[in-house]
């Protein structure tokens, strides 16, 4: 078996990413090794599938790095448990950055291995991440295809639109803390049966805190 | 929802790729996604189908994972040497 995993940490922008580094048997830090970034499935932590493949590939002589994605597991970011493809792909690049700092990793012998959703992200990253010289996938899933397939086409528009109101509320709250409460109460007074974040055609849109672009996704602006 | 992991693979993926899928079809559609990826990949590529394996069998069942690892080991040793 490969050595015990070494806990490591690296940054994706301002988030701390928690990783596990595994070294091959008989590791010698004076030598130079090929390394693999292992990209994990959705809704998993690095101790599961990432550890299985990380450990088995370390047994085959590779330095392996697996990690919890941004917003998940021991990695930072809020909201928790967000599956954000853009962040997931950027995590992969940041993992490469980290490996480049290790003197015993040969920067010309770097590969990526992705499992399930991680396979999709691995491929997506590799298209413009040429520090990877080889790409492997196991049961790769294209997360976007899966999401679209899960939502009947008639509901896709609603699903996208549904993300706008909570995001708008959050943006207003950040821009003007405290305003959300007053805004929500006003909405509820105007239409008690309506959920606080829906905007009706008759609602005055002259709210000075109105964030224009995000309203483009609101169903009501189609009126 | 608007993400496509394989968007531009045909134009931008330059590295050799090893695609591994399980033979048993299931609800994750990873066999179909793997096939799509393999078909779009423009350069050196190989698709290996693990007989009898479903999607989740390739997460942690040694019987199937070890077949994938064997294949990957050969692939990475060839291209990362």
């Amino acid at each position: 078996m490969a050595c015990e995993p070494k806990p490591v940490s690296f940054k994706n922008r301002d988030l701390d990413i928690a990783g596990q580094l595994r070294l091959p048997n008989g590791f010698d830090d004076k030598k130079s090794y090929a390394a693999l970034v292992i990209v994990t499935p959705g809704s998993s932590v690095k101790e599961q599938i990432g550890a299985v493949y990380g450990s088995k590939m370390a047994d085959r002589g590779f330095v392996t790095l697996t990690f919890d994605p941004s917003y998940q597991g021991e990695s930072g970011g809020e909201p928790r448990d967000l599956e954000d493809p853009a962040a997931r792909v950027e995590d992969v690049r940041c993992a490469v950055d980290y490996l480049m700092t290790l003197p015993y990793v040969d920067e010309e012998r770097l590969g990526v291995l992705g499992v399930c959703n991680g396979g999709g992200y691995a491929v997506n990253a590799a298209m413009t991440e040429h520090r990877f010289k080889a790409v492997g996938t196991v049961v790769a899933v294209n997360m976007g295809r899966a999401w679209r397939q899960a939502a009947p086409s008639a509901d896709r528009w609603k699903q996208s639109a549904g993300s706008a109101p909570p995001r708008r509320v959050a943006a207003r709250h950040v821009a003007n803390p405290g305003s959300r409460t007053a805004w929500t109460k006003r909405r509820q007074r105007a239409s008690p049966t309506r959920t606080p974040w829906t905007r009706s055609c008759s609602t005055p849109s002259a709210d000075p805190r109105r964030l224009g672009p995000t309203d483009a996704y609101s169903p009501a602006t189609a009126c | 929802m608007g993400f496509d992991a394989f968007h531009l693979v045909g134009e931008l993926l330059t590295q050799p790729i090893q695609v591994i899928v399980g033979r048993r079809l299931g609800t994750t559609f990873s066999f179909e996604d793997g096939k799509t990826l393999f078909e779009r990949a423009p350069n050196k590529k190989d698709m290996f189908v693990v007989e009898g394996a479903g999607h989740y069998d390739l997460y942690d069942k040694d019987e199937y994972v070890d077949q994938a690892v064997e294949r990957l080991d050969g692939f990475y040793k060839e291209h990362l040497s």
Side-chain angles (χ1 to χ4, degrees), chain B:
Chain B
M1 182 76 80
F3 176 73
D4 183 347
F6 305 150
H7 180 54
L8 299 176
V9 158
E11 290 175 63
L12 294 180
L13 190 71
T14 55
Q15 299 93 335
I17 185 166
Q18 173 69 63
V19 177
I20 298 179
V21 294
R23 175 69 75 187
R24 281 202 297 114
L25 304 186
T27 54
T28 62
F29 298 92
S30 57
F31 182 91
E32 293 83 348
D33 276 349
K35 195 159 169 288
T36 302
L37 172 60
F38 176 74
E39 284 167 0
R40 287 195 202 169
N43 295 310
K44 189 171 167 52
K45 56 186 173 181
D46 181 71
M47 182 160 161
F48 176 58
V49 182
V50 181
E51 295 299 334
H55 180 92
Y56 298 106
D57 294 332
L58 279 158
Y59 279 16
D60 54 10
K61 285 191 182 160
D62 284 347
E63 173 188 0
Y64 303 111
V65 170
D66 287 346
Q67 293 180 54
V69 164
E70 182 68 30
R71 192 76 169 201
L72 290 164
D73 184 35
F75 169 73
Y76 289 120
K77 291 230 164 86
E78 179 185 351
H79 295 288
L80 301 180
S81 57

Side-chain angles (χ1 to χ4, degrees), chain A residues 116-136:
Chain A
C116 187
N117 287 349
Y121 300 133
V123 169
N124 199 265
M127 282 191 272
T128 51
E129 180 52 82
H130 295 142
R131 289 176 293 183
F132 288 130
K133 301 295 188 262
V135 180

